[in-house]
Structures are given as C-alpha cells and as structure tokens.
Amino acid sequence: MGCCGSTERTKREWRPLEDRSCTDLPWFLLFTVFCVGMGSICGFTIVTGGAARLVFGYDSYGNTCGRRNEQIEGVKLSGLDHRDRKFVFFLDPCNIDIVQRKIKSMALCVSLCPTEELKTYQDLKRFAMVNGSELCSYELAGHKYPGLPERFTKCPKLPVPPSKPLPVFNRCTPVDISCYAKFAEAVVTFVGDNSVLHRLIAGVAASKEIIIGLCVLALVLSMILMVIIRYISAILVWILTSLVVLGSLAGTSVLWWLYIDHRLYGNDTSSKAAKETKEEVEITRDSGQALLVYAVAATVFTVRKSAAVRNLKEGKKESECLVCFLFQIILLLLMLFMRKRVALTIALFHVAGKVFIHLPLLTLQPFVTFLALLLFWIYWILVLLFLGTTGNPVQNEETGLTEFRLTGPLQYLTWYHAVGLVWISEFILACQQMTVAGAVVTYYFTRDKNRLPVTPILSSVLRLVRYHLGTVAKGSFIITLVKIPRLILMYIHNQLKGKENACARCLLKTCICCLWCLEKCLNYLNQNAYAATAINSTSFCTSARDAFVILVENALRVATINAVGDFVLFLGKILIVTSTAFAGVLLLNYQRDYAEWLLPLIIVCLFSFLVAHCFLSIFEIVVDVLFLCFAIDTKYNDGTPGKEFFMDKALMEFVESSRRLERAVERGRSRVKEVASEGAEMKPMAPGTSSA
C-alpha cells in the first residue's frame, strides 16, 4: 500500500542493499506532469510573444521593437513595422514608480540611442535628420519638432542625457545613473544619506580583490575543517570551544589595537590636517568612530560573563547575572552528565571523517546542488519576467500607455509558477539528501571497504534516478505543503505590519512559528526516510514509519547527537566566520583608504557562513545517516556468527565499552540483591523478658 496506514507487515526485515525496486511511481508521474506544466508556461510565454517583448522590448503602443507587428484593436499607432528600430527609448527615464519599481515614462522604438546630451528641440531635430532616429512620438515629423505644441508631452524631457543600449535587452539606459538615486534609496531603505551609500559602494568596489580572496579562504577553511574532524573528534568539543573563545579575545584585542593605532596615527599627522579637505577629515573621524563601535561591541560579547561576575560582586543587576550564571551552570552540568553519551557522537564524527576519506566526491555535493539550484532559479526568474510581458494588451487608465497583463484563468499561471519554485527547489535539496544517504549506506553496509564501488556517489545517483525519484518527489511535496502556508502568512504579516491589533499579530506569529517547527521536524524525518529507502528500497511512507520507530527507540541518543553534534557544527561555522572576519579586518586595515568596512565585512561574513553551512550540512547528513545505520545494525545484529555487525571499528569499540558498562551495572545490581536477600533471611532477636 502507499501510505502510513498500510497493511504491510509491522515487523520490518531489514535487508540492506539486497532488493531494489521502484518506489512511489505515481508520485514520480505526478511530478513529471507538474514539470511538464512548468515547461508549458515557458512555451506559452514564448509563443504569445512575452519572451520577445522582454528581450527586444516594446513601446507604449504595444509594438515589439525590431519586428513587424500586428494591429491591436483600439490602440492607435500599433501594428507598425519596427524592423529597423531595435532599441527602446524612454522619454523620461528618471520617472520611476517607487512602489511598483518600474519606469512610468512613455517608451518608443528607435534606431539609435543618443550618445551625446541633447539640450534643445533643435538638437532633437538635428539628431533625427542626421541619424534617422526620431526620439518623439511616431505621429510627429522630425523636421517640425521645434514648432509643434505636442513637443512638451510627446517628446523627451530636456535635456536628454547621453545613453547607451543595455546588452541583450536593447534598452537605452543613461550613462549617468545618478537619476536613479531615489530608486536606490527606496530599495536600500537603511540609507539616509547619499554620501553614505556612495562610500559603501566605493568601499566594496575598492576592496573587491580582498573580498574574493576572503571568500576563497572561507572555502578552504571549510574543507580543512571537514578533513581534520576525523583526527580530533575525541577532543573536538573542547578544541572548538577554546578556539571560539580565543578567537573572540583575539578579535577584540586587534580591534582595540587598531583603534589606538588610529588615534596615534591621527595625532602624528595632525600637522597635515590643515591641508586635508573637510570631507577627508569627516571620513577619518567616521573611521575612528567605526573602529570604536566595533571594539566596544566585540568587548561586550567577549567579556559578558566576566562582567556578570563583577556586577554580582558589586551587587549590580543581580537578576541578569543570576540568569547568566544559571545558564552557564546548566550548560556545564549537561556536558558533564552527557559525557558518556557524547562518546557515541564522537565515534560517529570519527566514522564520518572516514566516509569523506573513502568518498571524496561528497565534498562536491554542495557545489552540484548549488549549481542545480542556481540554474533553476535563473530559469524561474526568466519565465517570471516573461509572464510579466505576456497576456492581453490593456491601456493603463492613469498613464494611457499600453501594457500586457494576464487576465481571466491565465492569471493563475503565476501562482502555479510560484508553487513550482518551492516544490522543485525542495526536490533538488531532497535529491542531494538521497544521494548522500545512498552513498553512506553503501559504505556502512559493505563489510570489506576494498569492495566498494569505484564511484559510490555516482552509483547512488544512478539508483536515485532509476528507482527513487518518486520517493523524493513525495517527500519534497510534503515540505511544500507546509512551507507555502508559512510563506503566505509571512507575506500577510508584512503587509499588515502596523495595521493589525496585538491579538492578530500574536496569532500570526504563533502560526508562523508552529509551521516553521513542523517544517523542521518533517525535514528531519524526511532525511531519515530517504536513508531507510536507500537501505530497504521501500516506499516513502513505509520508510518514514520504519525510521520513526528506530528514532523513537533511540530517543535519548537522538537527542544527544542532535544537541551535541549541532552545537559542535555550529561552533565550526562560527570559527570559520570569525577567522575569515579576523583576516578581513587585518587586510582592510592595511589599506587605510577604506573608511567604511561594514559592507565588505558583511559580504565576506555572509558568504563564509553560507559556505560553512553548505559543507557542514553535508557532514551533518552523513552523521545522521550513520546513526540510523548504527541503530539498525545494533537492533538486528549482536556480533554472533550469522549476525555479525556491519559497523566500523570505532563504533564497535563504543558498543563493547557500553556492554562492559552494562555488565558492571548488572553485577552491582545482583550484589545489592544478594545483600538484601541475606539481610532478609536473618531473623530479628526476640525481646528478652525481665527476670524476677
């Protein structure tokens, strides 16, 4: 049967890698039909001219530039032959709708963009006569521009700035984009001063080589961390914790050193200050203030615990200090009491390191997945833009210009396209999880590692494509069913921000939070279901049920691995980000021209976190799959002949130590019972009678 309530046998006979068959075939057919629908939307936009209108551009009368056009009913000046007019020219390119983020100006098809500034209507006439490119509306003759009364509404706004055609999209864009300052300020809402924006952009442009180098550094650090985890797994938690603390101390010290050096450098050059311009003095002062802010923020983050101790001794902010102390004590106690369960996590980390040694192509999975997502997202955005220029011609009542809009049932194509974005993106991510799970399962359940396939990753991909695409489609669809309502609620919350009452706001946030938690839980269950499918080749629901049973039976181990493992990997991400940021501070300080470090550092930190997250997420998937294989191995095998373990030596040592501990506990319990039974056999002495 196909769902969780199936009538299949309740006791699962796990037969790793023995039988292989197609799973969830109806879901594969459904996903194929859905993808055909996505492709049909692209074909529809191409056939109806939406793609051509986007690429070649169209004027305000519905004519596509560079083509012969058909007459549009009710629209004058439509149906013109524009084969010799290949560029779109806007009469007022700076007339931008801030809300809709589009140009409201009239557009015309012209044969040549003006490369020089045209200040008068005589210049417009001369440009039309010499180049044959008329920049006013089609019904106006070029040699009559200076004397026509319509020139104020149907000719470009003077002066006409020099422009050049935009590559591929054939739009005449001004060479000087300063007229888009308001649009930039609307998009970048945190900018209140144009000079700040210019300095931020200038800082990024000037430090682009350093940014690229730091991004490569983050990539290298992520790969190095994945390799050395195997060798330092026994002391990984303590090493990473110490490095994060030392990194915070080092970063704080460097920032204070840079601030003091900046002050000293400014004092030494005070004699030259008189020659500096006002802007340079302001930039220097802002740089010093920025260093001071960074140093103070880093100091607060680093010495919060020591400050809490001092405040407690002084009797200040006792409640805050007690909370900090309680948190630190609880964390310390958890680490002490869970140290034996942490041993399993350390063993899994050690084996995961071996997996990456035997399967080095696993490190390429983030690149392959990112490339697939990037290509799909580019395609999705292009089709979305095609949809924006597809549909029936409609005259805008406000401007009188002709626009193309989807009307009637066709307007639901955009919603279909939006659902495709979520489902196919989740499908690609699920394919990565299934591929990694298949390779790790092959590694774990192959007793002789010398008999592994030449390329286990490629073998896993082939099994996925041949047998399990339906399972991946079903699992990703379940995530889509949860993600889309959450995204809709988030959109409603943003649209109603400041308008709804406190009760509605709280209800919306609660629903969003619950859906987010449900999505995370389903993601984890899906990942284990894919691993179970890779082991037993069962359908999605059967695999999810079997994996859930295994996880419930090992709930404490699961909690320990998720808590400790996620904490260690999070520390690893923080280590990579802080190391990259630390190198960025040193390199940016070497170039003293950079007054604004904020945007380059933010770009570097975001990219380094993204890279670390992608690589360590693969490591996390490997650890989770190894644990599921380990739990199945220990449940159905006991090491006796005929039921030998599949596990690695490190996991075998953990099992043996656990068994020794259990035997010691059993001996202790038996001794206690023996002592208790001996005490029960001793009869109490009868009370003596008093003699006369």
PDB file of all heavy atoms in Angstrom, residues 527-549:
ATOM      1  N   GLN A 527      14.620  13.169   5.875  1.00  0.00           N
ATOM      2  CA  GLN A 527      16.014  12.778   5.674  1.00  0.00           C
ATOM      3  C   GLN A 527      16.242  11.339   6.120  1.00  0.00           C
ATOM      4  O   GLN A 527      16.910  10.560   5.418  1.00  0.00           O
ATOM      5  CB  GLN A 527      16.916  13.723   6.455  1.00  0.00           C
ATOM      6  CG  GLN A 527      18.388  13.420   6.376  1.00  0.00           C
ATOM      7  CD  GLN A 527      19.204  14.412   7.167  1.00  0.00           C
ATOM      8  OE1 GLN A 527      19.096  15.615   7.008  1.00  0.00           O
ATOM      9  NE2 GLN A 527      20.038  13.885   8.063  1.00  0.00           N
ATOM     10  N   ASN A 528      15.684  10.950   7.261  1.00  0.00           N
ATOM     11  CA  ASN A 528      15.817   9.571   7.724  1.00  0.00           C
ATOM     12  C   ASN A 528      14.985   8.613   6.879  1.00  0.00           C
ATOM     13  O   ASN A 528      15.375   7.453   6.700  1.00  0.00           O
ATOM     14  CB  ASN A 528      15.409   9.478   9.196  1.00  0.00           C
ATOM     15  CG  ASN A 528      16.435  10.076  10.128  1.00  0.00           C
ATOM     16  OD1 ASN A 528      17.420   9.442  10.496  1.00  0.00           O
ATOM     17  ND2 ASN A 528      16.221  11.326  10.526  1.00  0.00           N
ATOM     18  N   ALA A 529      13.860   9.089   6.345  1.00  0.00           N
ATOM     19  CA  ALA A 529      13.065   8.244   5.447  1.00  0.00           C
ATOM     20  C   ALA A 529      13.833   7.956   4.162  1.00  0.00           C
ATOM     21  O   ALA A 529      13.791   6.832   3.636  1.00  0.00           O
ATOM     22  CB  ALA A 529      11.734   8.932   5.130  1.00  0.00           C
ATOM     23  N   TYR A 530      14.552   8.945   3.646  1.00  0.00           N
ATOM     24  CA  TYR A 530      15.369   8.713   2.450  1.00  0.00           C
ATOM     25  C   TYR A 530      16.464   7.686   2.744  1.00  0.00           C
ATOM     26  O   TYR A 530      16.774   6.838   1.895  1.00  0.00           O
ATOM     27  CB  TYR A 530      16.001  10.020   1.977  1.00  0.00           C
ATOM     28  CG  TYR A 530      15.005  11.092   1.583  1.00  0.00           C
ATOM     29  CD1 TYR A 530      15.281  12.437   1.783  1.00  0.00           C
ATOM     30  CD2 TYR A 530      13.781  10.754   1.014  1.00  0.00           C
ATOM     31  CE1 TYR A 530      14.367  13.421   1.424  1.00  0.00           C
ATOM     32  CE2 TYR A 530      12.864  11.724   0.658  1.00  0.00           C
ATOM     33  CZ  TYR A 530      13.162  13.063   0.879  1.00  0.00           C
ATOM     34  OH  TYR A 530      12.252  14.030   0.526  1.00  0.00           O
ATOM     35  N   ALA A 531      17.060   7.762   3.944  1.00  0.00           N
ATOM     36  CA  ALA A 531      18.083   6.783   4.314  1.00  0.00           C
ATOM     37  C   ALA A 531      17.484   5.380   4.393  1.00  0.00           C
ATOM     38  O   ALA A 531      18.098   4.402   3.931  1.00  0.00           O
ATOM     39  CB  ALA A 531      18.728   7.178   5.639  1.00  0.00           C
ATOM     40  N   ALA A 532      16.270   5.270   4.979  1.00  0.00           N
ATOM     41  CA  ALA A 532      15.611   3.965   5.058  1.00  0.00           C
ATOM     42  C   ALA A 532      15.267   3.442   3.669  1.00  0.00           C
ATOM     43  O   ALA A 532      15.376   2.237   3.403  1.00  0.00           O
ATOM     44  CB  ALA A 532      14.349   4.072   5.916  1.00  0.00           C
ATOM     45  N   THR A 533      14.871   4.328   2.764  1.00  0.00           N
ATOM     46  CA  THR A 533      14.610   3.919   1.384  1.00  0.00           C
ATOM     47  C   THR A 533      15.888   3.444   0.717  1.00  0.00           C
ATOM     48  O   THR A 533      15.894   2.455  -0.028  1.00  0.00           O
ATOM     49  CB  THR A 533      14.005   5.092   0.590  1.00  0.00           C
ATOM     50  OG1 THR A 533      12.759   5.475   1.171  1.00  0.00           O
ATOM     51  CG2 THR A 533      13.770   4.698  -0.853  1.00  0.00           C
ATOM     52  N   ALA A 534      16.996   4.126   0.971  1.00  0.00           N
ATOM     53  CA  ALA A 534      18.274   3.706   0.395  1.00  0.00           C
ATOM     54  C   ALA A 534      18.704   2.342   0.928  1.00  0.00           C
ATOM     55  O   ALA A 534      19.370   1.580   0.223  1.00  0.00           O
ATOM     56  CB  ALA A 534      19.354   4.747   0.708  1.00  0.00           C
ATOM     57  N   ILE A 535      18.294   2.002   2.160  1.00  0.00           N
ATOM     58  CA  ILE A 535      18.669   0.708   2.741  1.00  0.00           C
ATOM     59  C   ILE A 535      17.776  -0.401   2.210  1.00  0.00           C
ATOM     60  O   ILE A 535      18.246  -1.436   1.728  1.00  0.00           O
ATOM     61  CB  ILE A 535      18.583   0.764   4.279  1.00  0.00           C
ATOM     62  CG1 ILE A 535      19.601   1.761   4.836  1.00  0.00           C
ATOM     63  CG2 ILE A 535      18.807  -0.616   4.889  1.00  0.00           C
ATOM     64  CD1 ILE A 535      19.454   2.014   6.322  1.00  0.00           C
ATOM     65  N   ASN A 536      16.449  -0.190   2.288  1.00  0.00           N
ATOM     66  CA  ASN A 536      15.498  -1.282   2.058  1.00  0.00           C
ATOM     67  C   ASN A 536      14.709  -1.154   0.766  1.00  0.00           C
ATOM     68  O   ASN A 536      13.952  -2.048   0.432  1.00  0.00           O
ATOM     69  CB  ASN A 536      14.508  -1.352   3.224  1.00  0.00           C
ATOM     70  CG  ASN A 536      14.757  -2.543   4.114  1.00  0.00           C
ATOM     71  OD1 ASN A 536      15.701  -3.284   3.920  1.00  0.00           O
ATOM     72  ND2 ASN A 536      13.891  -2.742   5.088  1.00  0.00           N
ATOM     73  N   SER A 537      14.838   0.004   0.065  1.00  0.00           N
ATOM     74  CA  SER A 537      14.089   0.230  -1.168  1.00  0.00           C
ATOM     75  C   SER A 537      12.586   0.115  -0.937  1.00  0.00           C
ATOM     76  O   SER A 537      11.857  -0.514  -1.703  1.00  0.00           O
ATOM     77  CB  SER A 537      14.538  -0.757  -2.252  1.00  0.00           C
ATOM     78  OG  SER A 537      13.988  -0.395  -3.504  1.00  0.00           O
ATOM     79  N   THR A 538      12.103   0.750   0.128  1.00  0.00           N
ATOM     80  CA  THR A 538      10.674   0.778   0.429  1.00  0.00           C
ATOM     81  C   THR A 538      10.116   2.154   0.085  1.00  0.00           C
ATOM     82  O   THR A 538      10.846   3.112  -0.133  1.00  0.00           O
ATOM     83  CB  THR A 538      10.427   0.486   1.919  1.00  0.00           C
ATOM     84  OG1 THR A 538      11.287   1.317   2.712  1.00  0.00           O
ATOM     85  CG2 THR A 538      10.731  -0.966   2.233  1.00  0.00           C
ATOM     86  N   SER A 539       8.790   2.250   0.046  1.00  0.00           N
ATOM     87  CA  SER A 539       8.125   3.495  -0.315  1.00  0.00           C
ATOM     88  C   SER A 539       8.353   4.553   0.762  1.00  0.00           C
ATOM     89  O   SER A 539       8.838   4.256   1.864  1.00  0.00           O
ATOM     90  CB  SER A 539       6.627   3.263  -0.514  1.00  0.00           C
ATOM     91  OG  SER A 539       6.032   2.838   0.711  1.00  0.00           O
ATOM     92  N   PHE A 540       7.959   5.787   0.448  1.00  0.00           N
ATOM     93  CA  PHE A 540       8.256   6.889   1.360  1.00  0.00           C
ATOM     94  C   PHE A 540       7.582   6.697   2.709  1.00  0.00           C
ATOM     95  O   PHE A 540       8.225   6.814   3.759  1.00  0.00           O
ATOM     96  CB  PHE A 540       7.815   8.215   0.734  1.00  0.00           C
ATOM     97  CG  PHE A 540       7.975   9.389   1.653  1.00  0.00           C
ATOM     98  CD1 PHE A 540       9.212  10.002   1.810  1.00  0.00           C
ATOM     99  CD2 PHE A 540       6.908   9.887   2.390  1.00  0.00           C
ATOM    100  CE1 PHE A 540       9.375  11.075   2.663  1.00  0.00           C
ATOM    101  CE2 PHE A 540       7.057  10.959   3.246  1.00  0.00           C
ATOM    102  CZ  PHE A 540       8.292  11.552   3.378  1.00  0.00           C
ATOM    103  N   CYS A 541       6.284   6.417   2.698  1.00  0.00           N
ATOM    104  CA  CYS A 541       5.564   6.314   3.972  1.00  0.00           C
ATOM    105  C   CYS A 541       6.050   5.135   4.797  1.00  0.00           C
ATOM    106  O   CYS A 541       6.185   5.233   6.019  1.00  0.00           O
ATOM    107  CB  CYS A 541       4.064   6.207   3.714  1.00  0.00           C
ATOM    108  SG  CYS A 541       3.285   7.772   3.284  1.00  0.00           S
ATOM    109  N   THR A 542       6.314   4.004   4.133  1.00  0.00           N
ATOM    110  CA  THR A 542       6.846   2.851   4.866  1.00  0.00           C
ATOM    111  C   THR A 542       8.209   3.166   5.454  1.00  0.00           C
ATOM    112  O   THR A 542       8.505   2.840   6.614  1.00  0.00           O
ATOM    113  CB  THR A 542       6.934   1.640   3.926  1.00  0.00           C
ATOM    114  OG1 THR A 542       5.640   1.368   3.380  1.00  0.00           O
ATOM    115  CG2 THR A 542       7.434   0.418   4.678  1.00  0.00           C
ATOM    116  N   SER A 543       9.058   3.802   4.668  1.00  0.00           N
ATOM    117  CA  SER A 543      10.389   4.166   5.162  1.00  0.00           C
ATOM    118  C   SER A 543      10.299   5.169   6.304  1.00  0.00           C
ATOM    119  O   SER A 543      11.046   5.071   7.289  1.00  0.00           O
ATOM    120  CB  SER A 543      11.224   4.743   4.020  1.00  0.00           C
ATOM    121  OG  SER A 543      11.377   3.805   2.976  1.00  0.00           O
ATOM    122  N   ALA A 544       9.389   6.147   6.174  1.00  0.00           N
ATOM    123  CA  ALA A 544       9.231   7.142   7.236  1.00  0.00           C
ATOM    124  C   ALA A 544       8.758   6.480   8.528  1.00  0.00           C
ATOM    125  O   ALA A 544       9.235   6.814   9.625  1.00  0.00           O
ATOM    126  CB  ALA A 544       8.249   8.223   6.794  1.00  0.00           C
ATOM    127  N   ARG A 545       7.830   5.539   8.403  1.00  0.00           N
ATOM    128  CA  ARG A 545       7.348   4.834   9.597  1.00  0.00           C
ATOM    129  C   ARG A 545       8.457   4.021  10.241  1.00  0.00           C
ATOM    130  O   ARG A 545       8.647   4.058  11.467  1.00  0.00           O
ATOM    131  CB  ARG A 545       6.181   3.921   9.215  1.00  0.00           C
ATOM    132  CG  ARG A 545       5.554   3.182  10.386  1.00  0.00           C
ATOM    133  CD  ARG A 545       4.654   2.074   9.899  1.00  0.00           C
ATOM    134  NE  ARG A 545       5.406   1.093   9.132  1.00  0.00           N
ATOM    135  CZ  ARG A 545       4.840   0.136   8.395  1.00  0.00           C
ATOM    136  NH1 ARG A 545       3.524   0.066   8.294  1.00  0.00           N
ATOM    137  NH2 ARG A 545       5.592  -0.725   7.728  1.00  0.00           N
ATOM    138  N   ASP A 546       9.206   3.266   9.438  1.00  0.00           N
ATOM    139  CA  ASP A 546      10.290   2.445   9.986  1.00  0.00           C
ATOM    140  C   ASP A 546      11.362   3.316  10.633  1.00  0.00           C
ATOM    141  O   ASP A 546      11.876   2.997  11.712  1.00  0.00           O
ATOM    142  CB  ASP A 546      10.904   1.603   8.871  1.00  0.00           C
ATOM    143  CG  ASP A 546       9.917   0.595   8.305  1.00  0.00           C
ATOM    144  OD1 ASP A 546       8.939   0.277   9.004  1.00  0.00           O
ATOM    145  OD2 ASP A 546      10.124   0.141   7.162  1.00  0.00           O
ATOM    146  N   ALA A 547      11.736   4.403   9.955  1.00  0.00           N
ATOM    147  CA  ALA A 547      12.748   5.302  10.526  1.00  0.00           C
ATOM    148  C   ALA A 547      12.248   5.936  11.813  1.00  0.00           C
ATOM    149  O   ALA A 547      13.013   6.090  12.781  1.00  0.00           O
ATOM    150  CB  ALA A 547      13.119   6.380   9.505  1.00  0.00           C
ATOM    151  N   PHE A 548      10.970   6.292  11.855  1.00  0.00           N
ATOM    152  CA  PHE A 548      10.415   6.907  13.064  1.00  0.00           C
ATOM    153  C   PHE A 548      10.458   5.935  14.243  1.00  0.00           C
ATOM    154  O   PHE A 548      10.783   6.328  15.371  1.00  0.00           O
ATOM    155  CB  PHE A 548       8.969   7.349  12.790  1.00  0.00           C
ATOM    156  CG  PHE A 548       8.313   8.018  13.952  1.00  0.00           C
ATOM    157  CD1 PHE A 548       8.625   9.330  14.297  1.00  0.00           C
ATOM    158  CD2 PHE A 548       7.378   7.342  14.721  1.00  0.00           C
ATOM    159  CE1 PHE A 548       8.017   9.955  15.372  1.00  0.00           C
ATOM    160  CE2 PHE A 548       6.766   7.961  15.804  1.00  0.00           C
ATOM    161  CZ  PHE A 548       7.091   9.271  16.125  1.00  0.00           C
ATOM    162  N   VAL A 549      10.162   4.675  13.975  1.00  0.00           N
ATOM    163  CA  VAL A 549      10.210   3.665  15.046  1.00  0.00           C
ATOM    164  C   VAL A 549      11.636   3.537  15.585  1.00  0.00           C
ATOM    165  O   VAL A 549      11.862   3.497  16.806  1.00  0.00           O
ATOM    166  CB  VAL A 549       9.688   2.312  14.525  1.00  0.00           C
ATOM    167  CG1 VAL A 549       9.953   1.204  15.553  1.00  0.00           C
ATOM    168  CG2 VAL A 549       8.198   2.402  14.223  1.00  0.00           C
TER     169      VAL A 549
END
